[in-house]
C-alpha cells in the first residue's frame, strides 16, 4: 500500500533533485537531454523530466524514491506489469542461449503462429522493431500491392515519427487548414514536400469528407490508414458504422485498409480492435502490448498482399527482426494476455476507475467526460459532448488536465503528462491499486474544482 495519500510531498523541482541532476548531465550528451521528443517535459510543477529507477508490477519508483502506481506503462507496452516473473525467467533462459543470430529461429515462428491464431486479419506476419518501422512496412506493402502512391491519413492520428506518416499528427490550427478539408501539415522540419504531397489528410469520423476526398483522388489511393480507437487523441472512439464505412469504401475502390493497432492490439481484445468492432483490415500493425515491454513490432495481413513480400517482390528487411530475445518476451506476453479472462479483469479495473472519475467530477461540479474503454481511456475536461475528431478535441481544457495530472502525481499516481494521450491498465494492477487510485481521484477532483 502506498504511504498515506494526503501526506505525500508535492512532486516538484525541490523533491526531485536526483532527476534534475541527471537531466543536467543528460543535456551535455543527449540532444535536448532526451531520447524521444515526447519526453521533453515532466509536466505540471516540474521543469525537468522524471527519471525512473525501477518498476515492479504496477508500481514504479523515481530516482528520489517516490513510488507511483503506473498508468503510463511505457505508452501501454508494459501490459503484463513491470518485471513480470514468468517473462523474466523466459528472457534469462534465452539470454543464456544467445540474444540474436541474424538467422531464422524457432521463436519467431511460434510467435507468428500465436499472432495468426489471435488476430482475425492476420494470415501472414512480418516483424520490425518499433511501431513507426512496422507502419512503414505496411505502407510499402499497400503501395507495392496496388501500384499506387497516395495514402489517406486522418488528422490527429499518430503512426510514428517517420517521414511518410508524420504528417498532421497534432497540427497547430494555424497550419491545419479547413476542418472538413485539412492541409497536409508536416510534423517536423526535414520532411520533404514530395513525401507530404502523397499524404491526403481527412477529418476522422466524417463519412462525407472522406467520400469527397476519395472521389477527388479516384484511382490514386493505395491505402487508408487509421487508428481504430484514436489513442493519441484522448481515445476518440469510431462513430457507429464508421469503421464499416472505411471497410466498404476500400472494397469498392480497391484500396488497402490499414489498421494501426499498435496501441489497441492485444489490449482492447485478444484480437485487437478489429475483433472488438468486427471490422477486419487488410493489414494490421502491432507493437506495444505485443512485446510486453520488449521492443518488437509486426505487420500482418491477408495472403494476397503478404504473399508479395514472401515472393520478394515487395522488399522488407531488418537485422533485429524476429530476434529470439524479443520474440521470447512477446510470446510470454501473448500467452499471458490470451489466457481465459485475463483481459476481462484488466478492463474491469479500468471501468471502476472510469466510474469513479465520472462520479467524483459530477460531485465536484467539474465539467468533463470519459472516452475509451476500461483498458485504455482518457478524461476530456471542459467538453460537453464527446469530440468526434482532432479539431473538436482541441476545444477541451488542457490547463485543467495539467492541474489534475499534477494532483494525481502528488498522490503517487503516474499518468500521461498529455491529455491528448491516455491511461493504460496492466494485468498487474490490483484491487488495492484501483482503490488507492480512486481515493487519489476524489482528492484531485476536489483540488481542481
Ligand atoms: N502508432 C501508434 C498508434 C502509436 O501510439 C505509436 C507510438 O506511440 C506509433 C504508431 C509509433 O510507434 P513507435 O514509437 O514504437 O515507433
Amino acid at each position: 500500500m502506498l504511504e498515506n495519500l494526503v501526506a505525500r510531498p508535492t512532486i516538484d523541482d525541490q523533491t526531485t533533485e536526483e532527476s534534475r541532476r541527471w537531466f543536467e548531465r543528460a543535456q551535455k550528451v543527449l540532444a535536448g537531454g532526451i531520447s524521444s521528443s515526447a519526453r521533453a517535459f515532466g509536466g505540471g510543477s516540474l521543469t525537468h523530466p522524471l527519471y525512473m529507477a525501477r518498476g515492479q508490477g504496477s508500481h514504479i519508483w523515481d530516482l528520489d524514491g517516490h513510488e507511483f502506481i503506473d498508468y503510463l506503462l511505457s505508452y501501454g507496452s508494459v501490459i503484463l506489469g513491470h518485471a513480470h516473473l514468468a517473462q523474466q525467467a523466459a528472457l534469462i533462459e534465452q539470454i543464456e542461449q544467445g540474444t540474436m543470430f541474424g538467422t531464422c529461429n524457432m521463436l519467431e515462428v511460434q510467435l507468428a503462429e500465436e499472432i495468426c491464431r489471435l488476430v482475425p486479419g492476420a494470415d501472414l506476419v512480418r516483424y520490425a522493431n518499433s511501431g513507426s518501422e512496422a507502419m512503414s512496412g505496411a505502407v510499402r506493402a499497400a503501395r507495392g500491392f496496388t501500384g499506387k502512391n497516395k495514402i489517406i491519413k486522418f488528422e490527429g492520428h499518430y503512426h510514428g515519427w517517420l517521414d511518410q506518416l508524420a504528417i498532421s499528427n497534432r497540427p497547430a490550427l494555424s497550419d491545419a487548414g479547413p476542418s472538413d478539408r485539412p492541409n497536409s501539415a508536416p510534423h517536423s522540419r526535414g520532411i520533404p514536400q514530395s513525401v507530404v504531397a502523397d499524404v491526403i489528410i481527412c477529418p476522422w469520423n466524417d463519412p462525407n469528407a472522406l467520400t469527397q476526398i476519395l472521389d477527388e483522388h479516384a484511382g490514386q489511393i493505395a491505402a487508408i490508414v487509421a487508428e481504430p480507437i484514436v489513442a493519441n487523441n484522448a481515445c476518440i472512439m469510431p462513430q457507429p458504422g464508421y469503421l464499416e464505412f472505411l471497410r466498404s469504401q476500400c472494397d469498392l475502390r480497391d484500396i488497402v485498409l490499414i489498421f494501426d493497432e499498435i496501441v489497441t492490439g492485444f489490449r482492447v481484445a485478444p484480437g485487437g480492435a478489429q475483433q472488438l468492432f468486427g471490422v477486419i483490415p487488410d493489414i494490421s500493425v502491432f507493437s506495444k502490448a505485443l512485446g510486453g515491454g520488449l521492443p518488437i513490432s509486426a505487420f500482418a495481413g491477408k495472403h494476397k498482399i503478404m504473399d508479395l513480400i514472401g515472393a520478394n517482390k515487395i522488399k522488407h528487411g531488418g537485422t533485429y527482426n524476429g530476434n529470439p530475445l524479443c520474440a521470447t518476451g512477446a510470446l510470454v506476453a501473448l500467452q499471458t494476455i490470451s489466457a481465459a479472462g485475463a483481459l476481462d479483469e484488466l478492463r474491469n479495473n479500468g471501468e471502476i476507475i472510469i466510474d469513479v472519475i465520472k462520479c467524483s467530477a459530477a460531485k465536484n461540479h467539474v465539467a468533463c467526460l470519459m472516452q475509451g474503454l476500461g483498458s485504455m481511456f482518457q478524461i476530456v475536461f471542459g467538453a460537453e459532448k464527446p469530440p468526434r475528431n482532432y479539431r473538436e478535441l482541441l476545444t477541451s481544457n488542457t490547463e485543467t488536465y495539467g492541474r489534475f495530472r499534477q494532483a494525481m502525481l502528488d498522490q503517487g499516481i503516474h499518468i500521461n503528462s498529455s491529455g491528448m494521450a491516455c491511461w493504460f491498465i496492466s494485468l498487474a494492477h490490483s484491487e488495492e491499486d484501483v482503490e488507492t487510485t480512486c481515493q487519489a481521484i476524489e482528492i484531485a477532483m476536489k483540488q481542481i474544482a
Side-chain angles (χ1 to χ4, degrees), residues 234 353-371 377-387 393 395-404 419 423 441 444-446 448-449:
I353 295 174
I354 291 174
D355 284 347
V356 167
I357 294 174
K358 282 184 188 163
C359 288
S360 181
K363 224 169 33 195
N364 291 287
H365 310 290
V366 175
C368 68
L369 51 83
M370 297 302 296
Q371 299 205 121
F377 55 85
Q378 185 53 290
I379 318 171
V380 183
F381 287 101
E384 276 159 21
K385 57 184 177 62
L393 181 63
T395 63
S396 71
N397 189 334
T398 51
E399 188 268 336
T400 308
Y401 180 83
R403 287 195 293 123
F404 177 79
W423 297 44
I441 290 164
M445 281 293 177
K446 274 201 194 91
I448 64 167

Side-chain angles (χ1 to χ4, degrees), residues 130-132 158-160 227 232 260 262-263 288:
S130 68
S132 305
Y158 181 66
H159 306 296
E227 282 188 76
N232 294 284
D260 176 344
I262 284 167
V263 171
K288 314 269 193 206

Side-chain angles (χ1 to χ4, degrees), residues 38 72 75-76 135 153-161 168-171 187 204 226-237 260-264 288 371 376-378 380 389-390 393-394 416 418-424:
L72 180 66
Y75 305 95
M135 285 303 301
K153 176 191 178 285
F154 295 95
E155 191 174 45
H157 292 213
Y158 181 66
H159 306 296
W161 70 282
S168 296
N169 290 355
R170 287 178 190 159
H187 184 58
W204 182 238
E227 282 188 76
I229 297 172
V230 195
N232 294 284
N233 278 180
C235 282
I236 290 178
M237 299 295 280
D260 176 344
E261 294 236 42
I262 284 167
V263 171
T264 53
K288 314 269 193 206
Q371 299 205 121
M376 50 187 278
F377 55 85
Q378 185 53 290
V380 183
N389 55 42
Y390 172 70
L393 181 63
L394 279 186
N416 203 307
S418 166
M420 285 272 192
C422 51
W423 297 44
F424 295 106

